[in-house]
PDB file of all heavy atoms in Angstrom:
ATOM      1  N   THR A   1      97.657 129.250 111.947  1.00  0.00           N
ATOM      2  CA  THR A   1      96.523 128.380 112.276  1.00  0.00           C
ATOM      3  C   THR A   1      95.230 128.985 111.733  1.00  0.00           C
ATOM      4  O   THR A   1      94.974 130.171 111.899  1.00  0.00           O
ATOM      5  CB  THR A   1      96.406 128.194 113.799  1.00  0.00           C
ATOM      6  OG1 THR A   1      97.590 127.533 114.278  1.00  0.00           O
ATOM      7  CG2 THR A   1      95.202 127.358 114.144  1.00  0.00           C
ATOM      8  N   GLY A   2      94.451 128.134 111.072  1.00  0.00           N
ATOM      9  CA  GLY A   2      93.203 128.587 110.462  1.00  0.00           C
ATOM     10  C   GLY A   2      93.338 129.036 109.034  1.00  0.00           C
ATOM     11  O   GLY A   2      92.332 129.277 108.356  1.00  0.00           O
ATOM     12  N   GLY A   3      94.556 129.141 108.559  1.00  0.00           N
ATOM     13  CA  GLY A   3      94.800 129.590 107.197  1.00  0.00           C
ATOM     14  C   GLY A   3      94.628 128.477 106.172  1.00  0.00           C
ATOM     15  O   GLY A   3      94.254 127.348 106.498  1.00  0.00           O
ATOM     16  N   SER A   4      94.925 128.808 104.918  1.00  0.00           N
ATOM     17  CA  SER A   4      94.746 127.872 103.814  1.00  0.00           C
ATOM     18  C   SER A   4      95.996 127.826 102.944  1.00  0.00           C
ATOM     19  O   SER A   4      96.740 128.802 102.842  1.00  0.00           O
ATOM     20  CB  SER A   4      93.555 128.290 102.944  1.00  0.00           C
ATOM     21  OG  SER A   4      92.356 128.277 103.678  1.00  0.00           O
ATOM     22  N   LEU A   5      96.182 126.689 102.316  1.00  0.00           N
ATOM     23  CA  LEU A   5      97.227 126.498 101.323  1.00  0.00           C
ATOM     24  C   LEU A   5      96.696 125.591 100.233  1.00  0.00           C
ATOM     25  O   LEU A   5      95.836 124.740 100.489  1.00  0.00           O
ATOM     26  CB  LEU A   5      98.486 125.861 101.924  1.00  0.00           C
ATOM     27  CG  LEU A   5      99.454 126.729 102.714  1.00  0.00           C
ATOM     28  CD1 LEU A   5     100.548 125.873 103.312  1.00  0.00           C
ATOM     29  CD2 LEU A   5     100.057 127.811 101.828  1.00  0.00           C
ATOM     30  N   ARG A   6      97.234 125.741  99.044  1.00  0.00           N
ATOM     31  CA  ARG A   6      96.874 124.863  97.930  1.00  0.00           C
ATOM     32  C   ARG A   6      98.142 124.241  97.377  1.00  0.00           C
ATOM     33  O   ARG A   6      99.031 124.964  96.913  1.00  0.00           O
ATOM     34  CB  ARG A   6      96.164 125.645  96.840  1.00  0.00           C
ATOM     35  CG  ARG A   6      95.581 124.775  95.724  1.00  0.00           C
ATOM     36  CD  ARG A   6      95.188 125.619  94.549  1.00  0.00           C
ATOM     37  NE  ARG A   6      94.316 124.942  93.620  1.00  0.00           N
ATOM     38  CZ  ARG A   6      94.215 125.261  92.331  1.00  0.00           C
ATOM     39  NH1 ARG A   6      94.944 126.248  91.838  1.00  0.00           N
ATOM     40  NH2 ARG A   6      93.385 124.588  91.544  1.00  0.00           N
ATOM     41  N   LEU A   7      98.209 122.940  97.448  1.00  0.00           N
ATOM     42  CA  LEU A   7      99.343 122.217  96.893  1.00  0.00           C
ATOM     43  C   LEU A   7      99.015 121.749  95.475  1.00  0.00           C
ATOM     44  O   LEU A   7      97.879 121.376  95.190  1.00  0.00           O
ATOM     45  CB  LEU A   7      99.686 121.004  97.758  1.00  0.00           C
ATOM     46  CG  LEU A   7      99.951 121.268  99.244  1.00  0.00           C
ATOM     47  CD1 LEU A   7     100.356 119.980  99.941  1.00  0.00           C
ATOM     48  CD2 LEU A   7     100.996 122.350  99.429  1.00  0.00           C
ATOM     49  N   SER A   8     100.024 121.752  94.630  1.00  0.00           N
ATOM     50  CA  SER A   8      99.864 121.297  93.252  1.00  0.00           C
ATOM     51  C   SER A   8     100.849 120.179  92.960  1.00  0.00           C
ATOM     52  O   SER A   8     101.939 120.129  93.531  1.00  0.00           O
ATOM     53  CB  SER A   8     100.130 122.455  92.276  1.00  0.00           C
ATOM     54  OG  SER A   8      99.250 123.523  92.511  1.00  0.00           O
ATOM     55  N   CYS A   9     100.455 119.302  92.071  1.00  0.00           N
ATOM     56  CA  CYS A   9     101.321 118.190  91.699  1.00  0.00           C
ATOM     57  C   CYS A   9     101.108 117.875  90.227  1.00  0.00           C
ATOM     58  O   CYS A   9      99.979 117.859  89.743  1.00  0.00           O
ATOM     59  CB  CYS A   9     101.010 116.960  92.539  1.00  0.00           C
ATOM     60  SG  CYS A   9     101.932 115.479  92.066  1.00  0.00           S
ATOM     61  N   ALA A  10     102.202 117.618  89.537  1.00  0.00           N
ATOM     62  CA  ALA A  10     102.133 117.225  88.126  1.00  0.00           C
ATOM     63  C   ALA A  10     102.984 115.988  87.922  1.00  0.00           C
ATOM     64  O   ALA A  10     104.115 115.932  88.398  1.00  0.00           O
ATOM     65  CB  ALA A  10     102.610 118.356  87.233  1.00  0.00           C
ATOM     66  N   ALA A  11     102.424 115.007  87.226  1.00  0.00           N
ATOM     67  CA  ALA A  11     103.150 113.776  86.923  1.00  0.00           C
ATOM     68  C   ALA A  11     103.293 113.640  85.416  1.00  0.00           C
ATOM     69  O   ALA A  11     102.363 113.924  84.664  1.00  0.00           O
ATOM     70  CB  ALA A  11     102.404 112.570  87.486  1.00  0.00           C
ATOM     71  N   SER A  12     104.469 113.206  84.988  1.00  0.00           N
ATOM     72  CA  SER A  12     104.693 113.024  83.562  1.00  0.00           C
ATOM     73  C   SER A  12     105.574 111.804  83.352  1.00  0.00           C
ATOM     74  O   SER A  12     106.497 111.545  84.122  1.00  0.00           O
ATOM     75  CB  SER A  12     105.337 114.268  82.952  1.00  0.00           C
ATOM     76  OG  SER A  12     106.553 114.564  83.589  1.00  0.00           O
ATOM     77  N   ALA A  13     105.272 111.070  82.291  1.00  0.00           N
ATOM     78  CA  ALA A  13     106.046 109.886  81.981  1.00  0.00           C
ATOM     79  C   ALA A  13     107.346 110.285  81.298  1.00  0.00           C
ATOM     80  O   ALA A  13     107.356 111.134  80.415  1.00  0.00           O
ATOM     81  CB  ALA A  13     105.246 108.953  81.087  1.00  0.00           C
ATOM     82  N   THR A  14     108.417 109.672  81.719  1.00  0.00           N
ATOM     83  CA  THR A  14     109.707 109.945  81.089  1.00  0.00           C
ATOM     84  C   THR A  14     109.994 108.962  79.968  1.00  0.00           C
ATOM     85  O   THR A  14     110.979 109.085  79.269  1.00  0.00           O
ATOM     86  CB  THR A  14     110.844 109.891  82.125  1.00  0.00           C
ATOM     87  OG1 THR A  14     110.839 108.595  82.744  1.00  0.00           O
ATOM     88  CG2 THR A  14     110.646 110.947  83.187  1.00  0.00           C
ATOM     89  N   THR A  15     109.122 107.962  79.847  1.00  0.00           N
ATOM     90  CA  THR A  15     109.199 107.031  78.725  1.00  0.00           C
ATOM     91  C   THR A  15     107.996 107.287  77.840  1.00  0.00           C
ATOM     92  O   THR A  15     106.999 107.864  78.282  1.00  0.00           O
ATOM     93  CB  THR A  15     109.195 105.573  79.204  1.00  0.00           C
ATOM     94  OG1 THR A  15     108.051 105.364  80.025  1.00  0.00           O
ATOM     95  CG2 THR A  15     110.456 105.283  79.997  1.00  0.00           C
ATOM     96  N   PRO A  16     108.022 106.860  76.584  1.00  0.00           N
ATOM     97  CA  PRO A  16     106.945 107.208  75.650  1.00  0.00           C
ATOM     98  C   PRO A  16     105.624 106.483  75.928  1.00  0.00           C
ATOM     99  O   PRO A  16     105.171 105.716  75.117  1.00  0.00           O
ATOM    100  CB  PRO A  16     107.509 106.843  74.292  1.00  0.00           C
ATOM    101  CG  PRO A  16     108.806 106.255  74.494  1.00  0.00           C
ATOM    102  CD  PRO A  16     109.122 106.195  75.933  1.00  0.00           C
ATOM    103  N   ARG A  17     105.023 106.741  77.106  1.00  0.00           N
ATOM    104  CA  ARG A  17     103.704 106.194  77.438  1.00  0.00           C
ATOM    105  C   ARG A  17     102.789 107.376  77.699  1.00  0.00           C
ATOM    106  O   ARG A  17     102.285 107.569  78.784  1.00  0.00           O
ATOM    107  CB  ARG A  17     103.789 105.277  78.650  1.00  0.00           C
ATOM    108  CG  ARG A  17     104.701 104.084  78.446  1.00  0.00           C
ATOM    109  CD  ARG A  17     104.814 103.246  79.702  1.00  0.00           C
ATOM    110  NE  ARG A  17     103.548 102.654  80.069  1.00  0.00           N
ATOM    111  CZ  ARG A  17     103.341 101.971  81.192  1.00  0.00           C
ATOM    112  NH1 ARG A  17     104.335 101.826  82.043  1.00  0.00           N
ATOM    113  NH2 ARG A  17     102.179 101.454  81.466  1.00  0.00           N
ATOM    114  N   THR A  18     102.622 108.185  76.705  1.00  0.00           N
ATOM    115  CA  THR A  18     101.989 109.488  76.898  1.00  0.00           C
ATOM    116  C   THR A  18     100.501 109.412  77.106  1.00  0.00           C
ATOM    117  O   THR A  18      99.874 110.395  77.447  1.00  0.00           O
ATOM    118  CB  THR A  18     102.276 110.376  75.683  1.00  0.00           C
ATOM    119  OG1 THR A  18     101.782 109.725  74.515  1.00  0.00           O
ATOM    120  CG2 THR A  18     103.760 110.625  75.545  1.00  0.00           C
ATOM    121  N   PHE A  19      99.878 108.238  76.925  1.00  0.00           N
ATOM    122  CA  PHE A  19      98.439 108.171  77.034  1.00  0.00           C
ATOM    123  C   PHE A  19      97.969 107.644  78.389  1.00  0.00           C
ATOM    124  O   PHE A  19      96.791 107.433  78.589  1.00  0.00           O
ATOM    125  CB  PHE A  19      97.862 107.318  75.905  1.00  0.00           C
ATOM    126  CG  PHE A  19      98.174 107.864  74.548  1.00  0.00           C
ATOM    127  CD1 PHE A  19      99.103 107.259  73.727  1.00  0.00           C
ATOM    128  CD2 PHE A  19      97.541 109.014  74.100  1.00  0.00           C
ATOM    129  CE1 PHE A  19      99.401 107.783  72.480  1.00  0.00           C
ATOM    130  CE2 PHE A  19      97.827 109.536  72.848  1.00  0.00           C
ATOM    131  CZ  PHE A  19      98.762 108.918  72.042  1.00  0.00           C
ATOM    132  N   THR A  20      98.902 107.443  79.321  1.00  0.00           N
ATOM    133  CA  THR A  20      98.531 106.940  80.630  1.00  0.00           C
ATOM    134  C   THR A  20      98.057 108.074  81.515  1.00  0.00           C
ATOM    135  O   THR A  20      98.709 109.111  81.608  1.00  0.00           O
ATOM    136  CB  THR A  20      99.735 106.248  81.291  1.00  0.00           C
ATOM    137  OG1 THR A  20     100.163 105.156  80.475  1.00  0.00           O
ATOM    138  CG2 THR A  20      99.357 105.723  82.659  1.00  0.00           C
ATOM    139  N   THR A  21      96.896 107.885  82.132  1.00  0.00           N
ATOM    140  CA  THR A  21      96.416 108.818  83.137  1.00  0.00           C
ATOM    141  C   THR A  21      96.537 108.134  84.491  1.00  0.00           C
ATOM    142  O   THR A  21      96.041 107.026  84.676  1.00  0.00           O
ATOM    143  CB  THR A  21      94.957 109.213  82.883  1.00  0.00           C
ATOM    144  OG1 THR A  21      94.844 109.766  81.560  1.00  0.00           O
ATOM    145  CG2 THR A  21      94.520 110.266  83.882  1.00  0.00           C
ATOM    146  N   TYR A  22      97.190 108.799  85.416  1.00  0.00           N
ATOM    147  CA  TYR A  22      97.531 108.172  86.688  1.00  0.00           C
ATOM    148  C   TYR A  22      96.541 108.485  87.789  1.00  0.00           C
ATOM    149  O   TYR A  22      95.991 109.583  87.854  1.00  0.00           O
ATOM    150  CB  TYR A  22      98.916 108.645  87.135  1.00  0.00           C
ATOM    151  CG  TYR A  22     100.010 108.335  86.154  1.00  0.00           C
ATOM    152  CD1 TYR A  22     100.575 109.338  85.368  1.00  0.00           C
ATOM    153  CD2 TYR A  22     100.473 107.043  85.989  1.00  0.00           C
ATOM    154  CE1 TYR A  22     101.580 109.058  84.456  1.00  0.00           C
ATOM    155  CE2 TYR A  22     101.467 106.752  85.079  1.00  0.00           C
ATOM    156  CZ  TYR A  22     102.010 107.762  84.315  1.00  0.00           C
ATOM    157  OH  TYR A  22     102.991 107.469  83.409  1.00  0.00           O
ATOM    158  N   ALA A  23      96.345 107.518  88.676  1.00  0.00           N
ATOM    159  CA  ALA A  23      95.744 107.820  89.964  1.00  0.00           C
ATOM    160  C   ALA A  23      96.790 108.596  90.762  1.00  0.00           C
ATOM    161  O   ALA A  23      97.993 108.363  90.593  1.00  0.00           O
ATOM    162  CB  ALA A  23      95.376 106.529  90.691  1.00  0.00           C
ATOM    163  N   MET A  24      96.347 109.500  91.615  1.00  0.00           N
ATOM    164  CA  MET A  24      97.319 110.339  92.320  1.00  0.00           C
ATOM    165  C   MET A  24      96.855 110.567  93.751  1.00  0.00           C
ATOM    166  O   MET A  24      95.664 110.521  94.059  1.00  0.00           O
ATOM    167  CB  MET A  24      97.494 111.668  91.580  1.00  0.00           C
ATOM    168  CG  MET A  24      98.003 111.471  90.152  1.00  0.00           C
ATOM    169  SD  MET A  24      98.161 112.987  89.211  1.00  0.00           S
ATOM    170  CE  MET A  24      99.661 113.664  89.928  1.00  0.00           C
ATOM    171  N   GLY A  25      97.823 110.799  94.603  1.00  0.00           N
ATOM    172  CA  GLY A  25      97.476 110.988  96.002  1.00  0.00           C
ATOM    173  C   GLY A  25      98.473 111.873  96.711  1.00  0.00           C
ATOM    174  O   GLY A  25      99.563 112.147  96.206  1.00  0.00           O
ATOM    175  N   TRP A  26      98.079 112.326  97.880  1.00  0.00           N
ATOM    176  CA  TRP A  26      98.937 113.139  98.746  1.00  0.00           C
ATOM    177  C   TRP A  26      99.186 112.402 100.046  1.00  0.00           C
ATOM    178  O   TRP A  26      98.247 111.885 100.673  1.00  0.00           O
ATOM    179  CB  TRP A  26      98.285 114.486  99.036  1.00  0.00           C
ATOM    180  CG  TRP A  26      98.274 115.413  97.876  1.00  0.00           C
ATOM    181  CD1 TRP A  26      97.255 115.626  96.998  1.00  0.00           C
ATOM    182  CD2 TRP A  26      99.347 116.255  97.454  1.00  0.00           C
ATOM    183  NE1 TRP A  26      97.623 116.542  96.047  1.00  0.00           N
ATOM    184  CE2 TRP A  26      98.908 116.956  96.314  1.00  0.00           C
ATOM    185  CE3 TRP A  26     100.632 116.496  97.927  1.00  0.00           C
ATOM    186  CZ2 TRP A  26      99.705 117.875  95.633  1.00  0.00           C
ATOM    187  CZ3 TRP A  26     101.428 117.412  97.262  1.00  0.00           C
ATOM    188  CH2 TRP A  26     100.964 118.093  96.126  1.00  0.00           C
ATOM    189  N   TYR A  27     100.438 112.347 100.424  1.00  0.00           N
ATOM    190  CA  TYR A  27     100.864 111.794 101.697  1.00  0.00           C
ATOM    191  C   TYR A  27     101.579 112.894 102.465  1.00  0.00           C
ATOM    192  O   TYR A  27     101.988 113.905 101.894  1.00  0.00           O
ATOM    193  CB  TYR A  27     101.839 110.627 101.485  1.00  0.00           C
ATOM    194  CG  TYR A  27     101.192 109.340 101.049  1.00  0.00           C
ATOM    195  CD1 TYR A  27     100.739 109.165  99.743  1.00  0.00           C
ATOM    196  CD2 TYR A  27     101.047 108.278 101.937  1.00  0.00           C
ATOM    197  CE1 TYR A  27     100.147 107.972  99.340  1.00  0.00           C
ATOM    198  CE2 TYR A  27     100.462 107.079 101.548  1.00  0.00           C
ATOM    199  CZ  TYR A  27     100.026 106.933 100.247  1.00  0.00           C
ATOM    200  OH  TYR A  27      99.453 105.752  99.860  1.00  0.00           O
ATOM    201  N   ARG A  28     101.751 112.668 103.763  1.00  0.00           N
ATOM    202  CA  ARG A  28     102.554 113.586 104.551  1.00  0.00           C
ATOM    203  C   ARG A  28     103.365 112.807 105.573  1.00  0.00           C
ATOM    204  O   ARG A  28     102.996 111.708 105.975  1.00  0.00           O
ATOM    205  CB  ARG A  28     101.687 114.637 105.238  1.00  0.00           C
ATOM    206  CG  ARG A  28     100.766 114.097 106.321  1.00  0.00           C
ATOM    207  CD  ARG A  28      99.855 115.219 106.816  1.00  0.00           C
ATOM    208  NE  ARG A  28      98.980 114.782 107.897  1.00  0.00           N
ATOM    209  CZ  ARG A  28      98.018 115.518 108.417  1.00  0.00           C
ATOM    210  NH1 ARG A  28      97.774 116.745 107.940  1.00  0.00           N
ATOM    211  NH2 ARG A  28      97.274 115.056 109.402  1.00  0.00           N
ATOM    212  N   GLN A  29     104.460 113.426 105.968  1.00  0.00           N
ATOM    213  CA  GLN A  29     105.350 112.784 106.931  1.00  0.00           C
ATOM    214  C   GLN A  29     106.027 113.835 107.777  1.00  0.00           C
ATOM    215  O   GLN A  29     106.579 114.807 107.260  1.00  0.00           O
ATOM    216  CB  GLN A  29     106.397 111.933 106.204  1.00  0.00           C
ATOM    217  CG  GLN A  29     107.254 111.087 107.117  1.00  0.00           C
ATOM    218  CD  GLN A  29     108.122 110.107 106.343  1.00  0.00           C
ATOM    219  OE1 GLN A  29     108.389 110.287 105.162  1.00  0.00           O
ATOM    220  NE2 GLN A  29     108.540 109.051 107.006  1.00  0.00           N
ATOM    221  N   SER A  30     105.972 113.614 109.083  1.00  0.00           N
ATOM    222  CA  SER A  30     106.683 114.472 110.034  1.00  0.00           C
ATOM    223  C   SER A  30     107.868 113.696 110.567  1.00  0.00           C
ATOM    224  O   SER A  30     107.887 112.470 110.514  1.00  0.00           O
ATOM    225  CB  SER A  30     105.750 114.865 111.182  1.00  0.00           C
ATOM    226  OG  SER A  30     104.611 115.521 110.693  1.00  0.00           O
ATOM    227  N   PRO A  31     108.878 114.397 111.102  1.00  0.00           N
ATOM    228  CA  PRO A  31     110.052 113.699 111.646  1.00  0.00           C
ATOM    229  C   PRO A  31     109.643 112.667 112.698  1.00  0.00           C
ATOM    230  O   PRO A  31     108.858 112.964 113.600  1.00  0.00           O
ATOM    231  CB  PRO A  31     110.875 114.829 112.262  1.00  0.00           C
ATOM    232  CG  PRO A  31     110.495 116.023 111.462  1.00  0.00           C
ATOM    233  CD  PRO A  31     109.036 115.855 111.152  1.00  0.00           C
ATOM    234  N   GLY A  32     110.160 111.455 112.550  1.00  0.00           N
ATOM    235  CA  GLY A  32     109.885 110.407 113.521  1.00  0.00           C
ATOM    236  C   GLY A  32     108.577 109.691 113.333  1.00  0.00           C
ATOM    237  O   GLY A  32     108.215 108.839 114.148  1.00  0.00           O
ATOM    238  N   THR A  33     107.858 110.025 112.275  1.00  0.00           N
ATOM    239  CA  THR A  33     106.574 109.358 112.027  1.00  0.00           C
ATOM    240  C   THR A  33     106.604 108.674 110.666  1.00  0.00           C
ATOM    241  O   THR A  33     107.443 108.968 109.816  1.00  0.00           O
ATOM    242  CB  THR A  33     105.404 110.352 112.061  1.00  0.00           C
ATOM    243  OG1 THR A  33     105.502 111.250 110.946  1.00  0.00           O
ATOM    244  CG2 THR A  33     105.412 111.153 113.351  1.00  0.00           C
ATOM    245  N   GLU A  34     105.659 107.759 110.468  1.00  0.00           N
ATOM    246  CA  GLU A  34     105.552 107.097 109.183  1.00  0.00           C
ATOM    247  C   GLU A  34     104.796 107.986 108.199  1.00  0.00           C
ATOM    248  O   GLU A  34     103.988 108.824 108.580  1.00  0.00           O
ATOM    249  CB  GLU A  34     104.819 105.756 109.339  1.00  0.00           C
ATOM    250  CG  GLU A  34     105.572 104.738 110.179  1.00  0.00           C
ATOM    251  CD  GLU A  34     104.847 103.412 110.247  1.00  0.00           C
ATOM    252  OE1 GLU A  34     103.699 103.330 109.798  1.00  0.00           O
ATOM    253  OE2 GLU A  34     105.454 102.446 110.757  1.00  0.00           O
ATOM    254  N   ARG A  35     105.072 107.763 106.939  1.00  0.00           N
ATOM    255  CA  ARG A  35     104.339 108.499 105.905  1.00  0.00           C
ATOM    256  C   ARG A  35     102.888 108.036 105.910  1.00  0.00           C
ATOM    257  O   ARG A  35     102.607 106.842 105.908  1.00  0.00           O
ATOM    258  CB  ARG A  35     104.988 108.244 104.548  1.00  0.00           C
ATOM    259  CG  ARG A  35     104.494 109.142 103.445  1.00  0.00           C
ATOM    260  CD  ARG A  35     105.333 108.999 102.192  1.00  0.00           C
ATOM    261  NE  ARG A  35     106.710 109.428 102.414  1.00  0.00           N
ATOM    262  CZ  ARG A  35     107.602 109.554 101.423  1.00  0.00           C
ATOM    263  NH1 ARG A  35     107.251 109.282 100.175  1.00  0.00           N
ATOM    264  NH2 ARG A  35     108.828 109.930 101.690  1.00  0.00           N
ATOM    265  N   GLU A  36     101.974 108.986 105.922  1.00  0.00           N
ATOM    266  CA  GLU A  36     100.559 108.648 105.983  1.00  0.00           C
ATOM    267  C   GLU A  36      99.793 109.256 104.817  1.00  0.00           C
ATOM    268  O   GLU A  36     100.091 110.362 104.366  1.00  0.00           O
ATOM    269  CB  GLU A  36      99.939 109.136 107.299  1.00  0.00           C
ATOM    270  CG  GLU A  36      99.956 110.633 107.492  1.00  0.00           C
ATOM    271  CD  GLU A  36      99.197 111.085 108.733  1.00  0.00           C
ATOM    272  OE1 GLU A  36      98.605 110.240 109.419  1.00  0.00           O
ATOM    273  OE2 GLU A  36      99.191 112.302 109.003  1.00  0.00           O
ATOM    274  N   LEU A  37      98.795 108.526 104.375  1.00  0.00           N
ATOM    275  CA  LEU A  37      97.946 109.002 103.294  1.00  0.00           C
ATOM    276  C   LEU A  37      97.062 110.139 103.792  1.00  0.00           C
ATOM    277  O   LEU A  37      96.456 110.046 104.851  1.00  0.00           O
ATOM    278  CB  LEU A  37      97.079 107.857 102.767  1.00  0.00           C
ATOM    279  CG  LEU A  37      96.072 108.215 101.679  1.00  0.00           C
ATOM    280  CD1 LEU A  37      96.772 108.598 100.388  1.00  0.00           C
ATOM    281  CD2 LEU A  37      95.111 107.047 101.437  1.00  0.00           C
TER     282      LEU A  37
END
């Protein structure tokens, strides 16, 4: 409690659409709860 963490995420197209830049977001989900932004 009180500590810090840094999460990283990388997205890449698996089809040849290499010029797309994506909007990105972080969600979280705990057991028994809905995924929340």
Side-chain angles (χ1 to χ4, degrees):
T1 297
S4 298
L5 281 175
R6 188 193 196 205
L7 305 183
S8 301
C9 175
S12 58
T14 58
T15 55
R17 299 177 64 186
T18 58
F19 300 107
T20 300
T21 303
Y22 301 106
M24 300 177 76
W26 288 97
Y27 284 75
R28 67 186 182 186
Q29 187 171 21
S30 302
T33 67
E34 295 183 351
R35 191 170 296 189
E36 63 174 357
L37 177 68

